[in-house]
Amino acid sequence: QPTGGVGFQPQLGGYGGGGWESTSGSMDGGGGPPEPSEGMRKRNLSASWKLSQTLLGEGEEDEPPILEELGINFSHIVSKTRAVLWPRRSKLDQEVIDDSDFAGPLIFCFALAAVLLLKGKVQFSYIYVVFVTGLLALWAVLNLMSMKGIDIYRTASVLGYCLLPIVLLAALSLPLDLTGAWGALFVPLTVFWCSNAAALFFVIILQADDQRWLLLYPVMLFYTGFALITIF
């Protein structure tokens, strides 16, 4: 039977497979959590690596990426963003057009709000109200103008992606005063840029090539609201 605390060396359970050895004499009143063993560190590193592989779709061959199951496809986001920056029908893939994801629109909406916040303008509620109101109105108009029709999710995705030039306009308003001559130049150009890109998406989705300029008008009203929020 041990008579003192110095010679007694209990084995603290095999946590992490390695376990720790502690002498009661070395517990100098602190009693903090024991350091993980080398085996535990390796297992944590391996688990983190497997998680990243699963997210990117580099795990099992028959297992789809988690981000893809959540509806987040980075290649489609990049393709749609490029199509908005340079709207050309020949560069649009039907699979990308049919993908009604919300990742890109959410990013651009938050980016617009963040840029306006740098100007001291808290416009989160205005962006939300204008987007939702315009979305419902445009969704109704598009379905009335076309026999094929379009669902509200794809309408929101297209309108959100084509908001990117407005974000660039908001960033441009930081060094420039857009309420004067610069605004007279850049605001109409940006609104037409957004509207032209959105109209191109809607024409392809609705298969209404003869109605492109007719679709351009209500879409232009939608983005004019965001332009007004940006400059005033």
Side-chain angles (χ1 to χ4, degrees), residues 105-121:
L106 287 175
I107 292 174
F108 295 149
C109 286
F110 280 114
L112 177 60
V115 174
L116 294 178
L117 192 61
L118 294 177
K119 298 177 61 179
K121 300 165 64 176

Side-chain angles (χ1 to χ4, degrees), residues 137-149:
L138 278 174
W139 176 55
V141 169
L142 292 173
N143 282 281
L144 289 173
M145 292 177 62
S146 173
M147 295 295 294
K148 184 178 180 180

Side-chain angles (χ1 to χ4, degrees), residues 51-57 63-75 77 99 101 103:
L51 177 61
S52 63
Q53 285 184 320
T54 303
L55 289 173
L56 298 176
E63 181 180 359
I66 293 179
L67 295 178
E68 184 176 332
E69 292 182 350
L70 295 175
I72 302 175
N73 192 320
F74 286 109
S75 62
I77 293 174
D99 185 12
D101 69 285

Side-chain angles (χ1 to χ4, degrees), residues 1-10 23-25:
Q1 181 178 357
T3 58
V6 178
F8 179 55
Q9 296 182 345
T23 305
S24 60

